[in-house]
Amino acid sequence: MTWQEQYQHLREALTAAHEPSEAEAMAALVVEHVGKKKLHHLKQEYISAEETQQIDRILQQLLTHRPLQYVLNEAWFYGLKFEVNESVLIPRPETEELVDWIVKDVRGRKYDVRSEALPLTILDIGTGSGCIPIALKKNLPETEVSAIDVCSDALYTATTNAVNNEKEIKFQLLDFLDESNWSELSKYDIIVSNPPYIKTTEANTMSKHVLEFEPHKALFVPDEDALLFYRKIADFALQHLQPNGAVYVEINQQLGKETVDLFQQKGFAVELKKDMSGNERIVKASR
């Protein structure tokens, strides 16, 4: 069997659990992952029995709706490859826009550090796979980047990703919601976070591959306190944000006004930005 024939077989099999366009994209990614070449370079080559068995094992997992990124143990974010597993969220394109806003602001000299001898300092709250701080360090090498998470398994994955991408990040295991821990943290020019923001009652609108496989602790907040993390981040920033610093956060698209109001009531100047799909997705709060 050629790789092209294997690709066709895989694509047809995946349509049992996925939309045709999604099945086509997934089939190509699987073939390229196993074949270690782009699909157009593989098409007429013959696939080995061992490679066929590997693809069959991957297919069986995908048919259970397990996310492709977890099956392949990898995801791409802002041009970098990250290891992902069930202890961390799968990086998403909307979060790339969060990173991009920071990168453009820093490169556009929106921040004047206190001294040329002092690097711009960044803290990522709830780092997960480490995709945000690592992408920032990659594109802003002159910065000093720190990241915290409450989950030791997530921090292990994030540390692995930093090593694999040859980026130095200061990781720390810390429960951010416990304000008594804040004294362990410094002051920062930029605070960034993609915190849990999905209300529990929104779970019934979410796809099976998210609900059954991605970590709920990184996704959901109580309905009665949906802005829990944003309130804590704002309060933390009042104490730990350097003068002329800023907070960048990804938000629940249904709570744009409420999130803006929260930061404004605490004295921040706020910008609300829509994502590529036109949803209110990112807030920048400045002092």
Side-chain angles (χ1 to χ4, degrees):
M1 178 184 287
T2 66
W3 279 99
Q4 176 65 20
E5 291 170 331
Q6 177 63 69
Y7 163 72
Q8 297 288 1
H9 166 73
L10 185 59
R11 186 180 68 176
E12 291 169 9
L14 285 170
T15 56
H18 301 274
E19 293 294 323
S21 59
E22 186 179 9
E24 183 176 351
M26 291 172 70
L29 286 170
V30 171
V31 165
E32 291 174 354
H33 176 82
V34 177
K36 297 180 172 57
K37 292 181 185 178
K38 288 296 184 183
L39 180 59
H40 63 273
H41 290 309
L42 285 167
K43 285 186 175 181
Q44 301 310 315
E45 295 182 16
Y46 285 91
I47 184 171
S48 70
E50 182 180 345
E51 289 165 332
T52 299
Q53 291 171 0
Q54 186 179 353
I55 287 179
D56 285 342
R57 289 193 296 269
I58 290 172
L59 174 60
Q60 294 311 309
Q61 293 185 70
L62 293 175
L63 290 176
T64 68
H65 293 276
R66 189 174 182 221
L68 175 65
Q69 294 90 339
Y70 289 158
V71 175
L72 302 184
N73 200 221
E74 66 181 36
W76 287 85
F77 179 86
Y78 215 73
L80 301 172
K81 187 165 78 170
F82 290 86
E83 177 182 313
V84 292
N85 51 56
E86 279 85 345
S87 70
V88 300
L89 291 181
I90 296 167
R92 287 166 167 79
E94 295 84 358
T95 310
E96 290 183 319
E97 297 183 65
L98 173 68
V99 168
D100 198 53
W101 194 355
I102 298 171
V103 169
K104 287 176 178 175
D105 275 0
V106 173
R107 287 179 176 171
R109 301 187 181 279
K110 292 286 183 71
Y111 297 96
D112 295 318
V113 292
R114 298 156 300 290
S115 163
E116 289 186 7
L118 296 173
L120 195 74
T121 54
I122 300 174
L123 173 69
D124 178 36
I125 297 171
T127 196
S129 67
C131 63
I132 290 176
I134 293 168
L136 288 171
K137 184 66 175 178
K138 170 72 173 179
N139 289 275
L140 303 169
E142 70 282 3
T143 59
E144 184 178 284
V145 185
S146 302
I148 61 174
D149 204 288
V150 70
C151 174
S152 58
D153 288 341
L155 275 186
Y156 181 84
T157 301
T159 303
T160 299
N161 283 323
V163 171
N164 291 344
N165 282 285
E166 300 180 335
K167 293 294 164 279
E168 185 176 344
I169 310 292
K170 180 184 177 183
F171 290 110
Q172 185 172 349
L173 182 66
L174 187 140
D175 181 359
F176 179 74
L177 293 182
D178 183 350
E179 296 183 21
S180 67
N181 292 324
W182 293 359
S183 61
E184 298 181 35
L185 300 170
S186 183
K187 288 197 171 186
Y188 307 91
D189 296 291
I190 294 172
I191 296 169
V192 58
S193 185
N194 176 20
Y197 58 67
I198 301 171
K199 293 188 287 186
T200 307
T201 51
E202 294 180 67
N204 58 5
T205 68
M206 300 175 69
S207 60
K208 186 176 180 180
H209 68 272
V210 174
L211 279 178
E212 293 190 4
F213 295 96
E214 297 202 56
H216 285 200
K217 192 168 187 176
L219 289 169
F220 295 107
V221 286
D223 283 50
E224 64 275 12
D225 197 6
L227 297 180
L228 166 65
F229 279 89
Y230 301 97
R231 187 176 66 257
K232 293 280 190 176
I233 289 169
D235 288 341
F236 174 79
L238 290 174
Q239 304 172 31
H240 289 263
L241 193 64
Q242 293 283 10
N244 302 313
V247 175
Y248 296 80
V249 288
E250 186 171 325
I251 69 168
N252 186 323
Q253 67 187 58
Q254 298 179 11
L255 299 173
K257 181 181 184 303
E258 292 84 348
T259 309
V260 168
D261 288 346
L262 183 153
F263 278 101
Q264 286 179 336
Q265 288 167 11
K266 292 182 180 290
F268 291 88
V270 183
E271 296 177 59
L272 176 62
K273 182 176 283 192
K274 293 183 178 180
D275 64 18
M276 65 185 78
S277 301
N279 299 313
E280 294 180 337
R281 182 65 64 187
I282 316 169
V283 160
K284 175 185 177 182
S286 308
R287 291 182 67 189

